[in-house]
Amino acid sequence: MDSTSNENTPASRVKAADGISVRCWGTRGSIPSPGPDTTRYGGNTTCLEVCGADQRIIFDAGSGIRPLGLDIVEKGPNAIHIFLTHFHWDHIQGFPFFSPLYDPEDSIKVIGPKQKDIDVQNLFAGQMGPIYFPVPFSVVAAVMEFEHLNEGSYEVGEFELDVMRVRHPSFVIGYRIKVAGRVICFIPDNELDGTVYDLEPGFDKRIVDFVGDADLLIHDSMYTEVEYPKRLGWGHSTFEQSLRLAKEGGVKRLLFSHHDPTRTDYEVDALVAKMREAAARSGSGLEVGAAMEGIDYTLERSK
Ligand SMILES: [Zn+2]
Ligand SMILES: [Zn+2]
């Protein structure tokens, strides 16, 4: 990991030719929050793109997937994989506005965790019912396919994905993505210190192993330590908790994400500065920052 460009914009972007490009198209939690206070870290809800040599894969379909869809229309490719962590609004609300849906040349595979007996197609397409949205799912022109992924692993092109159930209301997963000798972990919604979840024992060790030695970890850091006591059981972590996880897992670079909708850019800056000091004090060599919309985080291929 080796470079971060602050100058890329969706219009000027050139795919990293020799590296793996990780772009956050949405970093906000809960609800889009555009406005002058959030221009730098971004107001769109969760969406991540990982580009390898000749393929891109997408994680979550928050409002950030809308501009990503325009980029795909312009540059391709037309075979698209969308992996979902779960079905809360802020992770699926951009889907009806994803332009490739309406192009018969496109094929879109949506992979995510089944919720009890409700399958992914019903969960994902249900938000396009007439009460919620004017355009019915039947208008979708792309070739659609849906698949369940609640545990285990999945391979697509040069990407190998492992998933793990995390602490968040409903059945929610995080992803560990292996590509070109690098590891990226994407866990946008997860309460590290929560106690109210119906999970198998041993979660605290499993999650440390899951993120172990990752080159890049993007983790839920919605709250401050002051805010958290009033949000117990809401399914989110603090900046400090994410930092602890990254240190325990030997992660190389941590990006705080799922920013609270009320968090201003200046507040995020101040929290990141504090976390950088804490990381430096620990002598771990861990690099920390806050996920920023529209930025490419590039990792060099190690194989
Ligand atoms: Zn969320
Ligand atoms: Zn959620």
Side-chain angles (χ1 to χ4, degrees), residues 28 249 253 265 280 293 298:
R28 197 60 55 173
R253 186 179 194 176
D265 288 338
E293 186 177 317
T298 304

Side-chain angles (χ1 to χ4, degrees), residues 30 86 90-91 189 236 258:
S30 302
H86 64 310
D90 52 324
H91 298 258
D189 293 48
H236 301 291
H258 207 272

Side-chain angles (χ1 to χ4, degrees), residues 268-284:
V268 175
D269 287 342
L271 286 159
V272 168
K274 197 173 146 194
M275 293 301 103
R276 280 196 178 132
E277 278 174 27
R281 272 199 305 276
S282 74
S284 60

Side-chain angles (χ1 to χ4, degrees), residues 68-79:
L68 170 55
L70 300 176
D71 196 62
I72 290 172
V73 167
E74 192 185 323
K75 298 174 190 161
N78 297 79

